[in-house]
């Protein structure tokens, strides 16, 4: 007969290893199975996670069993290692022990049973003369008896008595005794027992206990830390009115444990003690955050104070910054303006270590309390130079919320598109401002990178949000490129560097939108003017921007995008870079590596226009470069390109475009068939493109029926425009997935253009390609 597992019988299985330490073999539940023929029973422990059997043991009279404390049963066998069961509940341990007693009997009846609740450890009475005896008693106690040592330390205010002795020997300036006290309390801490930590970090003991660690014998006398004096100066500010005394107690305990772990005993704590203290801090933090999240009055009180601080800052700045603290509003000091921001920042830094459900609950509470509106108002009201704490706290809050869920902030930014004082505008303008410190700029760049990541956007918001960014905010970045700045002034040149990095990010992420803006606004030409300043970091950033642009692909087809290449070729933008490379010589530095990587990209992608441009203009400069094969391979590629029919690449691109377009349109046809697009609905039109310089090799996106041939353009440009017209986001419109003049044969998967959809010139070019 087998018992059903119960919660009372949840146990950990321990095995004594060769070093005299107990190894944890796992956690499970004990079941007892009767063995009637032998008048005994068998214990079995199954792992609660994997279901594997952790222990199988038959209770026998010849085995020596012992009960230690309220929840532990141990036994030892001659040929096997000692085993122990540590029960979660005392009731479960008592139940199993009583059954063992019933089977075996007690020692007086000849059984192998010892109801051995080990005799309590008697520690010497605390006194100066017995400090060494107490230390030896603690260090000599085996691990199996640690539970009883802990009980002895916690009984009858034993720790307080030890601290009284320390106070006496410290006043008497007895160095040997104070060092004994230090080693004594260090070993007590290293017992790694939660009950000991709770006692040591309590209000009654901590202030006296921390003084013991001022006498660390391993630190020279002149360098000793004055922990006691430092903590005496610490003040606890109550930003919001927390009325729960238990919560206040946990806040105080957390501060003490963090200081103790990171400052006092960092050199002595082993991994086990560090993990235990870390767990205590984590669970206290979880309790604090849960209490604040579940108490709307506390959150409301916090944001009321934040809004009051923003109002006072705004009022102060409108007066020209001439007022004093009392001008910031009734009874609002500098500290009262700063503390709510720092409190919110600390809360968010704590929450990022919590589990996902708790983070979700906390951030939802902040969103309901209009956290983004408060941050937006604060960043517009406060200058980063005058109020760095406002910016640092606000940016930390935004960054933590973005890491958790970027949609929370992006949804707010989309709603704020009509506003001229939106949060997005403020972030963009300040990332290219001289007012912001480099450390803060890095955080702002990271925030904008996550906010502008198209892969993380909701499909319904993507077009609206990105179109708004380029229409209303990209110009702020462009301004930083053309502003005059004195060479050698890092603060003046930092906005230019940030602007270049922002455009590199946009070119990499935003496809045709970034191309429209960069080519149409001559960003590459303006970037090359920065090279003349002679600042190496800016020059490297310009090279990265050009490399990113040249490496861009057509998002629809994956073919090479020649718009950037034509712009670079026409305006000879690589000339200053090649001149710097040649002047740098064979020195292996960042400039050398970046230029070689740029040239290697041009060679690998076989960008014919740029290969021809470089070899015709700079071939003699490359002839003597032999430490890399990049330039030699590009020269060979140039010869191959010259000997090949120029139509070959065009035919390859055409086949790639037709293949990708056919697959995409076939998918769209199936999507339209099942989603039910009506013929009567109008086709969705792309947004109007901005005016472009067609000589730069870039044309706005057109549909195939609008793309008329141009005798002045080469075939590659025509293919590029045709690719842009067929593919793209409008080809996947839910209303009408296919352009009206393109039909797809579902049997042959071929594209059939209706009569009149192509110009005669275009048809003739395609026919010529087929003939060739």
């Amino acid at each position: 007969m087998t018992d059903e597992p119960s919660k009372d019988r949840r146990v950990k299985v321990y095995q004594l290893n060769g070093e005299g330490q107990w190894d944890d073999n796992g956690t499970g539940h004990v079941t007892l199975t009767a063995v009637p023929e032998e008048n005994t029973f068998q214990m079995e422990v199954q792992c609660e996670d994997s279901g594997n059997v952790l222990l199988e043991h038959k209770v026998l009279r010849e085995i020596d069993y012992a009960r230690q404390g309220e929840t532990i049963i141990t036994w030892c066998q001659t040929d096997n290692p000692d085993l122990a069961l540590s029960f979660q509940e005392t009731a479960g341990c008592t139940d199993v022990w009583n059954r063992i007693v019933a089977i075996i009997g007690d020692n007086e009846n000849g059984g192998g049973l010892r109801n051995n609740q080990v005799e309590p450890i008697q520690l010497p009475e605390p006194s100066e003369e017995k400090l060494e005896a107490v230390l030896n008693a603690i260090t000599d106690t085996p691990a199996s008896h640690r539970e009883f040592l802990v009980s002895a330390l916690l009984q009858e205010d034993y720790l307080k008595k030890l601290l009284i002795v320390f106070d006496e020997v410290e006043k008497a300036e007895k160095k040997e005794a104070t060092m004994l006290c230090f080693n004594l309390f260090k070993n007590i801490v290293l017992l790694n027992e939660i009950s000991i930590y709770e006692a040591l970090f309590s209000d009654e003991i901590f202030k006296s206990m921390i003084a013991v660690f001022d006498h660390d014998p391993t630190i020279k006398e002149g360098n000793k830390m004055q922990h006691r004096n430092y903590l005496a100066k610490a003040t606890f500010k109550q930003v919001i009115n927390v009325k729960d005394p238990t919560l206040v107690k946990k806040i105080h305990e957390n501060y003490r444990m963090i200081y103790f772990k990171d400052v006092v005993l960092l050199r002595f704590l082993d991994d086990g003690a560090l993990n235990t203290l870390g767990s205590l801090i984590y669970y206290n933090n979880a309790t604090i955050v849960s209490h604040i999240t579940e108490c709307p009055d506390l959150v409301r009180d916090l944001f009321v104070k934040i809004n009051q601080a923003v109002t006072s800052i705004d009022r102060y700045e409108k007066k020209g910054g001439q007022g004093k603290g009392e001008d910031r509003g009734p009874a609002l000091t500098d500290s009262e303006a700063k503390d709510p921001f720092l409190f919110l920042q600390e809360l968010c830094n704590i929450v990022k270590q919590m589990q996902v459900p708790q983070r979700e609950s906390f951030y939802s509470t902040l969103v309901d309390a209009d956290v983004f509106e408060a941050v937006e108002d604060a960043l517009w009201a406060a200058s980063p130079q005058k109020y760095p704490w406002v910016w640092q706290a606000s940016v930390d809050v935004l960054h933590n919320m973005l890491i958790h869920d970027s949609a929370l902030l992006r949804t707010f930014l989309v709603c704020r598109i009509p506003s001229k004082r939106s949060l997005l505008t403020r972030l963009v303008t300040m990332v290219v401002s001289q007012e912001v410190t480099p450390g803060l700029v890095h955080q702002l760049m990271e925030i904008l990178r996550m906010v502008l990541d198209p892969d993380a956007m909701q499909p319904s918001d993507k077009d609206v949000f990105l179109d708004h960014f380029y229409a209303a905010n990209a110009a702020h970045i462009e301004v930083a490129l053309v502003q005059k700045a004195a060479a050698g002034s890092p603060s003046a040149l930092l906005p230019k560097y940030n602007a270049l990095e922002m455009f590199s990010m946009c070119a990499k992420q935003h496809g045709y939108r970034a191309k429209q803006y960069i080519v149409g606004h001559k960003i590459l030409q303006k970037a090359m003017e920065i090279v003349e300043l002679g600042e190496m970091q800016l020059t490297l950033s310009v090279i990265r921007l050009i490399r990113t642009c040249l490496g861009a692909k057509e998002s629809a087809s994956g073919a090479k995008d020649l718009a950037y290449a034509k712009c670079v070729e026409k305006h000879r933008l690589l000339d200053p870079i090649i001149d710097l490379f040649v002047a740098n010589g064979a020195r292996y530095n960042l400039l050398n590596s970046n230029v070689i990587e740029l040239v290697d990209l041009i060679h690998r992608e076989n960008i014919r226009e740029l290969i021809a441009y470089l070899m015709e203009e700079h071939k003699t400069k490359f002839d003597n470069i032999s430490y890399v094969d990049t330039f030699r391979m590009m020269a060979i590629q140039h010869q191959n390109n010259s000997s090949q029919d120029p139509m070959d690449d065009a035919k390859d691109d055409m086949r790639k475009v037709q293949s990708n377009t056919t697959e995409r349109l076939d998918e769209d046809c199936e999507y339209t068939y099942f989603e039910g697009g009506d013929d009567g609905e109008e086709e969705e039109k792309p947004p109007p493109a901005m005016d472009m310089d067609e000589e730069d090799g870039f044309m706005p996106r057109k549909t195939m029926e609008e793309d008329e041939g141009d005798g002045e353009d080469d075939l590659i440009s025509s293919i590029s425009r045709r690719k842009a017209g067929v593919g793209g986001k409008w080809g996947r419109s839910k209303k009408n997935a296919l352009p009206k003049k393109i039909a797809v044969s579902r049997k042959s998967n071929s594209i059939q253009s209706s009569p009149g959809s192509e110009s005669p010139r275009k048809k003739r070019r395609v026919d010529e390609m087929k003939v060739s």
Side-chain angles (χ1 to χ4, degrees):
M1 182 177 180
T2 302
D3 291 347
E4 292 293 329
S6 67
K7 294 181 180 179
D8 290 344
R9 292 186 186 169
R10 187 169 185 263
V11 297
K12 278 185 175 294
V13 179
Y14 290 93
Q15 180 175 310
L16 192 68
N17 60 28
E19 299 176 356
Q21 302 292 325
W22 288 99
D23 294 332
D24 184 353
N25 288 349
T27 304
H29 292 81
V30 178
T31 56
L32 307 179
T33 305
V35 185
E37 59 274 16
E38 300 182 24
N39 192 27
T40 186
F41 65 90
Q42 179 166 304
M43 291 190 293
E44 181 178 294
V45 180
Q46 249 186 349
C47 180
E48 63 184 7
D49 294 328
S50 64
N52 297 332
V53 176
L54 301 177
L55 172 70
E56 283 185 337
H57 174 72
K58 186 183 295 184
V59 177
L60 301 173
R61 291 181 61 85
E62 57 268 21
I63 296 177
D64 186 17
Y65 296 92
R67 182 177 183 183
Q68 301 185 1
E70 298 291 334
T71 59
I72 298 175
I73 298 176
T74 64
W75 62 91
C76 56
Q77 306 177 64
T78 305
D79 300 328
N80 295 314
D82 293 0
L83 295 169
L85 294 180
S86 177
F87 288 77
Q88 178 176 322
E89 303 293 340
T90 303
C93 181
T94 302
D95 179 34
V96 174
W97 179 255
N98 289 339
R99 297 199 183 200
I100 294 174
V101 171
I103 293 295
I104 296 178
D106 55 26
N107 269 341
E108 296 178 357
N109 295 329
L113 182 68
R114 291 185 293 110
N115 190 352
N116 184 20
Q117 301 197 33
V118 178
E119 294 183 5
I121 294 176
Q122 297 293 329
L123 293 174
E125 188 67 23
S127 66
E128 180 183 348
E129 295 77 15
K130 296 183 179 180
L131 285 175
E132 189 171 358
V134 176
L135 177 60
N136 292 334
I138 292 175
T139 55
D140 294 342
T141 301
S144 58
H145 293 74
R146 180 173 295 176
E147 179 182 350
F148 309 103
L149 174 61
V150 171
S151 299
L153 289 171
L154 296 177
Q155 286 177 357
E156 299 178 356
D157 295 331
Y158 194 84
L159 292 174
K160 290 183 180 180
K161 294 177 182 178
L162 287 175
L163 290 172
I164 292 173
V165 174
F166 163 74
D167 188 52
E168 293 173 353
V169 298
E170 185 186 38
K171 290 179 180 178
E173 297 183 356
K174 298 181 179 180
K175 291 186 178 181
E176 292 185 4
T178 54
M179 289 181 183
L180 279 173
C181 290
F182 173 85
N183 290 319
L184 179 60
F185 275 90
K186 185 186 77 171
N187 281 279
I188 290 174
V189 170
L190 293 179
L191 288 175
N192 193 21
E193 289 290 335
I194 293 178
S195 55
I196 291 287
Y197 291 148
E198 289 175 347
L200 292 178
F201 295 113
S202 64
D203 295 336
E204 298 81 12
I205 293 180
F206 180 76
K207 291 182 180 180
S208 300
M209 183 269 295
I210 198 66
V212 177
F213 293 92
D214 287 346
H215 300 275
D216 187 348
T218 62
I219 300 178
K220 293 182 180 180
E221 190 67 31
N223 299 328
K224 288 187 181 296
M225 295 286 293
Q226 299 295 323
H227 304 296
R228 176 172 32 187
N229 295 338
Y230 176 81
L231 292 173
K233 298 175 183 177
T235 57
F236 291 91
K237 298 179 180 179
Q238 192 160 323
V239 179
I240 53 179
N241 187 19
V242 180
K243 299 179 181 179
D244 187 350
T246 303
L247 187 64
V248 174
K249 179 182 177 182
K250 288 189 177 296
I251 294 173
H252 287 287
E253 284 180 355
N254 256 19
Y255 175 78
R256 294 164 183 164
M257 284 190 289
I258 291 171
Y259 181 85
F260 194 81
K261 178 174 73 75
D262 295 342
V263 179
V264 180
L265 280 183
L266 184 61
R267 295 180 298 117
F268 304 109
L269 289 177
D270 56 10
D271 291 340
L274 285 172
N275 292 335
T276 301
L277 284 173
S279 298
L280 288 173
I281 294 169
Y282 174 85
Y283 288 119
N284 279 353
N285 283 335
T287 302
I288 294 167
V289 171
S290 296
H291 184 90
I292 294 175
T293 303
E294 295 167 3
C295 186
D297 291 339
L298 293 179
V299 178
R300 191 182 307 113
D301 184 25
L302 174 62
F303 280 95
V304 166
K305 293 190 176 184
I306 288 176
N307 291 328
Q308 287 176 350
V310 173
T311 302
S312 68
I313 292 172
D314 190 45
R315 184 185 299 118
Y316 179 72
E317 291 301 315
K318 286 180 178 178
K319 289 183 179 181
Q322 301 299 320
K324 297 182 180 180
E326 58 268 17
D327 295 328
R328 296 189 174 188
L332 191 62
T333 64
D334 289 345
S335 177
E336 289 173 335
K338 182 188 299 186
D339 290 344
F341 285 95
L342 300 183
F343 181 78
L344 179 61
Q345 178 187 18
E346 186 174 358
L347 269 181
C348 290
N349 287 334
I350 289 173
V351 169
K352 68 182 180 183
Q353 303 170 6
M354 301 288 103
Q355 298 294 326
V356 174
Q358 197 162 13
R359 292 204 308 267
E360 184 72 36
S361 175
F362 176 77
Y363 288 131
S364 297
T365 302
L366 293 189
V367 172
D368 293 340
D370 297 333
V371 62
F372 294 129
E373 286 85 346
V375 169
E376 181 181 72
D377 293 340
L379 295 185
W380 276 105
S383 164
Q385 293 178 331
K386 291 184 179 180
Y387 305 95
W389 42 270
V390 171
W391 277 83
Q392 191 60 61
S394 300
V395 168
D396 268 358
V397 171
L398 293 178
H399 190 255
N400 287 329
M401 296 187 74
L402 274 171
I403 292 175
H404 171 70
D405 185 1
S406 61
L408 294 175
L409 177 57
R410 195 178 296 109
T411 301
F412 171 76
L413 295 178
V414 170
C415 296
R416 295 290 294 161
I417 283 177
S419 174
K420 293 182 179 179
R421 289 171 59 90
S422 69
L423 179 57
L424 179 63
T425 300
R426 186 61 168 167
L427 295 176
V428 171
T429 54
M430 296 313 293
V431 82
V432 291
S433 169
Q434 296 185 29
E435 299 181 46
V436 185
T437 61
L440 189 58
V441 163
H442 177 74
Q443 287 183 286
L444 292 175
M445 291 279 288
E446 183 67 14
I447 288 173
L448 290 174
R449 184 191 65 79
M450 290 188 284
V451 165
L452 296 173
D453 183 5
D455 295 333
M457 295 182 185
Q458 296 292 334
S460 57
D461 297 335
K462 180 177 178 180
D463 294 336
V464 174
F465 187 67
L466 290 179
D467 289 343
H468 165 70
F469 171 75
Y470 283 99
N473 295 290
H476 298 297
I477 306 174
E478 182 183 352
V479 168
L481 289 179
V482 298
Q483 282 181 339
K484 293 183 179 180
S489 174
S491 60
L493 297 176
L494 183 60
K496 293 183 179 295
Y497 176 83
N498 295 333
L500 291 168
E501 294 300 308
M502 283 293 298
F503 278 123
S504 294
M505 180 193 72
C506 293
K508 184 178 181 180
Q509 291 186 340
H510 298 160
Y512 76 90
R513 286 186 176 87
K515 179 173 64 177
Q516 279 185 336
Y517 194 92
I518 291 174
V519 176
H521 288 254
K522 298 180 172 55
I523 298 300
L524 294 181
Q525 294 92 307
K526 295 173 182 176
M528 290 307 302
E529 296 175 2
I530 298 177
V531 177
E532 299 174 1
L533 296 175
E535 293 291 335
M536 183 56 64
Q537 291 298 326
L538 291 178
T539 301
L540 295 176
S541 187
V542 171
I543 296 173
R544 284 196 296 271
L545 173 60
I546 294 177
R547 188 176 71 237
T548 302
C549 292
L550 294 179
K553 303 284 187 180
E554 280 281 0
S555 59
S557 64
K560 289 177 291 189
D561 189 346
L562 299 177
Y564 292 118
K566 288 183 175 293
C567 177
V568 171
E569 177 198 16
K570 176 187 174 184
H571 298 284
R572 295 295 189 262
L573 299 182
L574 296 183
D575 288 351
I577 295 175
I578 298 301
D579 291 341
L580 285 173
F581 175 74
V582 174
N584 184 66
R587 289 192 295 271
Y588 186 66
N589 51 25
L590 287 175
L591 176 63
N592 181 280
S593 300
N594 275 266
V595 174
I596 291 175
E597 188 174 354
L598 173 62
V599 174
D600 182 64
L601 171 69
I602 295 172
H603 161 248
R604 283 187 290 103
E605 296 294 331
N606 193 19
I607 305 177
R608 287 174 175 264
E609 293 83 358
L610 295 185
I611 292 177
Y613 154 46
L614 289 174
M615 299 310 299
E616 292 169 4
E617 298 289 336
H618 303 284
K619 184 177 185 301
T620 56
K621 301 175 183 178
F622 301 148
D623 289 341
N624 296 327
I625 300 175
S626 58
Y627 56 88
V628 290
D629 291 335
T630 305
F631 299 96
R632 183 178 61 83
M633 296 300 295
M634 186 174 66
I636 296 173
Q637 185 68 55
H638 177 56
Q639 293 176 359
N640 293 338
N641 291 344
S642 301
S643 62
Q644 290 178 355
D645 185 351
M647 299 292 290
D648 289 346
D649 275 359
K651 288 187 287 184
D652 290 341
D653 271 359
M654 175 60 79
R655 282 193 291 268
K656 184 181 293 186
V657 170
Q658 287 180 337
S659 174
N660 290 333
T661 305
T662 301
E663 294 174 3
R664 186 170 63 259
L665 292 178
D666 186 50
E667 292 173 1
D668 290 341
C669 184
E670 294 179 2
Y671 177 80
T672 306
Y673 176 79
F674 286 106
E675 295 297 327
D678 296 331
D679 294 339
E681 296 180 356
E682 293 186 0
E683 180 183 357
E684 183 180 352
K685 299 294 183 182
M690 62 181 67
D691 294 336
M692 297 288 171
D693 182 358
E694 295 185 9
E695 295 180 358
D696 282 342
F698 176 77
M699 291 291 292
R701 296 169 65 95
K702 297 182 181 180
T703 55
M704 288 185 67
E705 61 271 21
E706 294 173 334
D707 185 11
E708 298 296 338
D710 188 348
E712 298 298 324
D713 294 335
D714 62 9
L715 183 56
I716 302 298
S717 298
S718 176
I719 293 172
S720 176
R721 295 196 302 274
R722 190 175 300 117
K723 289 187 290 184
V726 174
K729 69 185 182 68
W730 300 291
R732 292 188 179 274
S733 168
K734 185 174 180 179
K735 283 189 175 182
N736 200 344
L738 298 177
K740 291 185 177 180
K741 293 190 178 182
I742 298 179
V744 178
S745 172
R746 298 177 61 81
K747 294 182 179 180
S748 62
N749 287 332
S750 62
I751 302 178
Q752 301 174 348
S753 300
S754 58
S757 63
E758 286 188 6
S759 66
R761 188 188 304 270
K762 183 189 300 183
K763 189 174 186 300
R764 185 171 67 253
R765 286 180 177 176
V766 175
D767 291 338
E768 288 172 356
M769 289 173 57
K770 292 179 179 178
V771 171
S772 64

